Amino acid sequence: MHASQVILAPIVSEKSYAGTTRGSYTFKVHPDAHKTQIRQAVEELFSVKVEHVNVLKVAAKPKRRGAFRGTRPGWKKAVVQLRAGDTIEIFEGAQL
């Protein structure tokens, strides 16, 4: 799997944005990607060194709109801790 297929999108929320001060960045990743692939993809795409990766699955949620029932799809996210002094520029301009 290519690096651009592993990292799907950055997650910009209050909680993830607060982690950027500690060098922690959050990404939506491919459901089949594992920690080693995520580490290699972040290092290749952003030219940084990764210390460790935490991966978690966000469960699917049942939703209802009137009489219509369905589920929001589940997805996988990764919290990546970078080496001290390294930053990723796409998060620096985010305003919440």
Side-chain angles (χ1 to χ4, degrees):
M1 201 176 326
H2 191 265
S4 61
Q5 295 172 328
V6 174
I7 306 295
L8 301 179
I11 298 174
V12 181
S13 64
E14 285 186 40
K15 187 174 182 179
S16 67
Y17 190 67
T20 60
T21 59
R22 299 183 308 272
S24 177
Y25 297 89
T26 308
F27 297 97
K28 183 174 183 178
V29 296
H30 192 278
D32 296 332
H34 50 76
K35 287 185 179 187
T36 308
Q37 288 177 324
I38 295 167
R39 172 191 299 264
Q40 291 170 349
V42 170
E43 288 179 349
E44 180 182 331
L45 291 173
F46 302 110
S47 302
V48 293
K49 275 292 188 188
V50 175
E51 285 190 356
H52 60 84
V53 178
N54 291 334
V55 177
L56 36 116
K57 287 188 173 186
V58 178
K61 288 184 179 180
K63 291 291 179 181
R64 190 175 142 193
R65 179 87 175 168
F68 300 102
R69 293 180 183 203
T71 58
R72 282 198 179 157
W75 50 286
K76 195 174 201 180
K77 76 176 172 179
V79 180
V80 178
Q81 178 69 41
L82 301 183
R83 185 176 56 186
D86 285 350
T87 60
I88 296 177
E89 298 300 322
I90 59 170
F91 285 93
E92 300 306 319
Q95 297 292 324
L96 293 178

